[in-house]
Amino acid sequence: MPFVVDLTDGSVEREDRSAETGHFGGSILGLRLLTERTPAGLDPYDPRALLYVAAGILGGVAAPGLAKAVFLAKSPLTGVAGEAHALGPFAAGIRGAGAKALAITGRAQRLSYLLVEDGRISVHPAEELGGLGTAATTDALRARHGEGAHVAAIGPAGERLVRYASVVTDYAYPAARYGLGAVLGAKNLKAIVCVGDAPAAVADPRALAEIEAFYRAAMPRNALAAWQHAGPGFGAWTGEPPAPGYLSVRNFSHTGDGGLRVPSPADYDGLAVATSGCCPGCPTDCLKTYAPLGVPESRTGGLGQEAFASLGWNLGVDDTGAVLALNALCNDLGLDQVSFGGTAAFAMECAARGLLTEGPSFGDAAAVTALARDVATRSGALGDLLAEGSARAAGKLGAEPYAMTVKGAEVPCFDPRVQPGLGLGYAAAPGGPRYDALEHDLDFEPGGALAYCLPEAARIGAEPAPVGLLDAGRGRRTARLLRLWSALDAWNICLFASSPTRPLTLDHLTALVTAVSGAGCTLDDLLAAGAARLDLMRAYALREGGGPDELPARFHDEPVTAGPYAGARLAREDFARALDAFHAELGWRA
Ligand code: SF4
């Protein structure tokens, strides 16, 4: 029963989809509404465009791995269905306010915010919030509606229609990717405020308590979950320098020894703003907030795993404080760290090659900080150009080889030359390249460090394989893993708590769905939901004429030049064969 809100006239209806099966109130329902209610070819900024925000049946329940809120719309960056997720407390906020899903259409006459309170929806003017960062916006709306209010806000980037603007929930937890903040901006919607403390329904609390007890006991024994839980956490890179070719360094152009410093755990001492309590009911506490002393706004320093590399080594910057400050600034401005990092790195490479005379230099942290502000406000010719994203900017500069994008969106920071399954996922996921829908090939190596996850992966037909292998089997394996992770998205379950690599095994996942929803769920049911979601995204992408399933040429043509992965690249013929197998496994024609 999603609330359907038309911002043009302020009307609110409830659409009864309760007799319809297989949507679970989350991403699948959003994709159905997007397909049904919007005509093909609609501009993402058209008032008729639809924005879907949902906790679904499971999201927002206080339990391990159930903190995911989905944000979905036609992406201004890719032109296909852009789906981003906010972890943290916002999903619980939606449930507490008496809603599970919102479908928002129309455009408000003036800057406004949406209030969801005790099962009622209303639209309110917010002109005085124009131009404010997400933190000041959240402060103002909490002052009005109580400190317990949950707020999803856009910053200046969303208002100025930056194509990779994010929506930031509760200061620190962005739904970062694909420019959904700009969709709010086009609707004159500054924020969504959720007020209320209605409990989320759970069909079998005792079964849920048993799953939680299992999770708490298993967490210390699971290497990844233990790492996520401990300080400084898995968003805070420390330790040995990554092997050449593992991560993007300088726009993926540098695949030798980067010479860039890796922080030590001590570098984070004194910089923690919050390290626990991020996701209600989940003991993992993996989303920690860090900011260096003296930054104008520290509460926005929520550190996702991609942020450090995207804004650090990708830009030739290895000053921990500078990277943390830029991360916090991106959240306050409402900029996706991955796409901003990718676009800034593109500009730096163009400058180094003489294609962009005013572009910043690799390693210039001060320049990139100034650039973030210019992009978010579209100030100056360069800020305005780069606000369009690197693919569009490359088209204007004649610099296409240096835009590291798929379907118009910047690729995540993990280099696919070393892990070809990641590359297949970047290229072929119908919503665009996304890291939190994939896992590392390195995790599924025979004899690798995560041997405990191999039996789980084998249950869905993903047998272990040497990390660099790129063949038809890799294509099938990637498709099967993507189907599982798509199922997690369909049910609003967090990847970072789940099988094959984290404590919630496949059996626990089906038990979790059953305990909360009351409907029986088998592994086949789980995977069918994942396949249905992928099929809907693929059909929408085909309808909208989305970009091809291909990677930037650099990953095929420029091998890693040093270290244990020296020589790694994605041979085109092998990649094509694996992609064919990927499509065939999902029943898609290429
Ligand atoms: S695993 Fe981490 S990100 Fe996922 S719900 Fe738990 S605390 Fe949140």
Side-chain angles (χ1 to χ4, degrees):
M1 297 270 282
F3 289 95
V4 181
V5 184
D6 186 337
L7 294 169
T8 303
D9 61 13
S11 64
V12 180
E13 296 171 7
R14 296 205 76 168
E15 182 161 326
D16 187 356
R17 310 287 289 228
S18 56
E20 186 181 317
T21 58
H23 60 62
F24 322 117
S27 164
I28 289 177
L29 179 55
L31 287 160
R32 290 179 186 171
L33 292 168
L34 191 64
T35 305
E36 293 164 13
R37 285 178 163 262
T38 60
L42 191 70
D43 189 286
Y45 298 150
D46 189 288
R48 292 170 292 165
L50 184 139
L51 169 74
Y52 182 75
V53 182
I57 293 174
L58 268 66
V61 171
L66 296 188
K68 185 188 278 185
V70 60
F71 289 70
L72 173 76
K74 183 174 185 179
S75 163
L77 200 57
T78 65
V80 299
E83 184 178 317
H85 301 106
L87 293 154
F90 189 71
I94 297 174
R95 301 296 295 265
K100 288 180 185 162
L102 311 170
I104 303 166
T105 66
R107 176 185 290 152
Q109 296 281 327
R110 50 189 172 161
L111 196 63
S112 301
Y113 71 94
L114 200 66
L115 176 65
V116 188
E117 183 170 20
D118 297 331
R120 295 184 305 276
I121 310 259
S122 51
V123 183
H124 302 265
E127 285 152 310
E128 73 284 5
L129 305 180
L132 291 185
T134 61
T137 300
T138 304
D139 284 342
L141 292 169
R142 285 190 172 181
R144 200 171 299 173
H145 295 288
E147 284 305 303
H150 294 276
V151 179
I154 60 170
E159 290 182 55
R160 298 304 309 275
L161 307 186
V162 175
R163 286 186 185 272
Y164 45 91
S166 62
V167 187
V168 179
T169 67
D170 293 327
Y171 298 107
Y173 311 106
R177 300 233 60 196
Y178 305 130
L180 303 183
V183 177
L184 270 81
K187 294 187 172 304
N188 264 334
L189 186 61
K190 180 70 174 173
I192 301 168
V193 181
C194 297
V195 178
D197 53 9
V202 174
D204 188 345
R206 181 178 297 184
L208 191 62
E210 285 173 10
I211 294 168
E212 184 181 352
F214 156 80
Y215 190 93
R216 284 185 184 278
M219 206 173 63
R221 300 192 299 269
N222 181 288
L224 294 180
W227 173 40
Q228 289 161 225
H229 180 71
F234 83 143
W237 289 79
T238 60
E240 295 297 309
Y246 176 73
L247 277 176
S248 172
V249 176
R250 297 181 183 136
N251 201 34
F252 294 94
S253 70
H254 191 96
T255 56
D257 282 318
L260 295 169
R261 183 177 169 274
V262 181
S264 73
D267 287 343
Y268 295 88
D269 287 351
L271 305 185
V273 178
T275 58
S276 63
C278 57
C279 296
C282 185
T284 325
D285 284 337
C286 42
L287 303 177
K288 305 183 197 312
T289 300
Y290 292 101
L293 301 174
V295 295
E297 181 50 70
S298 63
R299 295 168 297 172
T300 52
L303 192 58
Q305 205 192 9
E306 295 170 277
F308 201 96
S310 300
L311 301 175
W313 297 310
N314 194 32
L315 306 179
V317 174
D318 63 359
D319 178 310
T320 306
V323 176
L324 294 176
L326 184 55
N327 174 60
L329 179 63
C330 282
N331 278 340
D332 201 27
L333 295 171
L335 283 174
D336 169 23
Q337 288 88 343
V338 175
S339 274
F340 174 69
T343 302
F346 158 81
M348 289 169 163
E349 183 165 5
C350 287
R353 293 177 181 274
L355 295 167
L356 191 59
T357 49
E358 53 179 333
S361 303
F362 282 120
D364 189 341
V368 84
T369 300
L371 184 63
R373 295 186 191 282
D374 286 349
V375 165
T377 52
R378 286 188 179 265
S379 299
L382 184 62
D384 194 41
L385 174 72
L386 298 181
E388 292 292 290
S390 50
R392 287 174 173 81
K396 292 190 174 147
L397 296 172
E400 287 86 350
Y402 314 118
M404 304 307 287
T405 58
V406 172
K407 299 180 175 73
E410 289 70 23
V411 298
C413 57
F414 297 99
D415 195 320
R417 282 170 286 205
V418 168
Q419 303 191 76
L422 285 181
L424 286 165
Y426 293 169
R434 206 184 110 198
Y435 164 64
D436 64 339
L438 295 163
E439 269 288 1
H440 297 269
D441 302 16
L442 283 159
D443 293 347
F444 303 105
E445 268 207 301
L450 301 187
Y452 65 82
C453 78
L454 300 184
E456 280 283 297
R459 283 187 66 189
I460 59 163
E463 300 290 345
V467 68
L469 189 65
L470 179 55
D471 60 2
R474 174 71 69 195
R476 287 189 289 275
R477 185 181 302 105
T478 300
R480 289 167 186 164
L481 288 166
L482 194 65
R483 185 159 46 206
L484 171 62
W485 291 317
S486 174
L488 302 180
D489 284 340
W491 283 100
N492 288 61
I493 301 173
C494 178
L495 169 79
F496 300 118
S498 302
S499 177
T501 53
R502 270 69 168 197
L504 290 175
T505 63
L506 295 168
D507 290 337
H508 287 105
L509 290 170
T510 53
L512 191 60
V513 173
T514 303
V516 176
S517 70
C521 178
T522 66
L523 178 55
D524 285 346
D525 296 333
L526 199 71
L527 297 177
R533 176 181 163 280
L534 287 174
D535 288 346
L536 281 164
M537 290 193 111
R538 167 90 167 168
Y540 186 80
L542 291 173
R543 188 186 92 167
E544 299 300 319
D549 291 357
E550 64 184 30
L551 293 172
R554 172 167 276 166
F555 297 135
H556 298 296
D557 299 334
E558 298 177 23
V560 176
T561 56
Y565 306 118
R569 68 179 181 92
L570 303 175
R572 289 178 191 277
E573 322 74 57
D574 297 343
F575 193 79
R577 203 171 302 120
L579 196 56
D580 284 347
F582 175 98
H583 287 137
E585 174 64 26
L586 294 174
W588 296 347
R589 292 213 321 246

